[in-house]
Amino acid sequence: QVQLVESGGGMVQAGGSLRLSCAVPGSSFRINDMGWYRQAQGKERELVARITRGGTTEYVESAKGRFTISRDSPKNTVYLQMTSLKPEDTAVYYCKANIEIVVNVEGARISRDYWGEGTLVTVSS
């Protein structure tokens, strides 16, 4: 059973920083892309940042220059360092990982997206 374990959310004043972590315990799988999404109250979930297995990153325009996504592959962990936080960054942040598992003795693999339960980030003005 693949699970994503998130941590690091909380409340911070505008201009402050937070670091989110998302770990995937276990080793019987291969992790491809990992990313962070967020959903503010009354809005749709949106991509914040993602990182490929090879380390290529992508950010939503509003996060460029303020947020940094990184991953520690041996630890199956992805991080989101958030700085210069704004009230409009307030949202539930979700980790997503595309994970590949072996499904039979011949070594056939399937991949699917797994989501964490979300961690609340609140930025006060």
Side-chain angles (χ1 to χ4, degrees), residues 72-117:
D72 184 336
S73 293
K75 294 183 179 179
N76 292 345
T77 300
V78 63
Y79 305 97
L80 185 68
Q81 179 68 49
M82 304 185 292
T83 63
S84 301
L85 281 161
K86 304 175 182 180
E88 50 264 43
D89 294 317
T90 295
V92 178
Y93 284 69
Y94 297 91
C95 175
K96 186 179 87 168
N98 182 267
I99 296 176
E100 200 173 302
I101 59 173
V102 176
V103 295
N104 61 31
V105 295
E106 286 79 27
R109 294 172 175 266
I110 60 169
S111 64
R112 57 157 285 193
D113 291 334
Y114 291 82
W115 291 86
E117 293 187 350

Side-chain angles (χ1 to χ4, degrees), residues 2-18:
V2 175
Q3 289 185 325
L4 274 60
V5 181
E6 298 158 337
S7 61
M11 182 177 291
V12 65
Q13 289 189 331
S17 300
L18 283 173

Side-chain angles (χ1 to χ4, degrees), residues 36-48 62 86-94 118-123:
W36 289 96
Y37 291 69
R38 66 186 178 190
Q39 187 166 19
Q41 194 168 7
K43 295 187 177 181
E44 294 187 354
R45 192 174 298 188
E46 65 170 353
L47 171 69
V48 177
S62 61
K86 304 175 182 180
E88 50 264 43
D89 294 317
T90 295
V92 178
Y93 284 69
Y94 297 91
T119 184
L120 178 61
V121 171
T122 303
V123 184

Side-chain angles (χ1 to χ4, degrees), residues 17-40:
S17 300
L18 283 173
R19 188 174 86 150
L20 307 182
S21 300
C22 172
V24 188
S27 59
S28 58
F29 46 74
R30 171 188 166 110
I31 302 176
N32 298 317
D33 293 1
M34 303 184 82
W36 289 96
Y37 291 69
R38 66 186 178 190
Q39 187 166 19

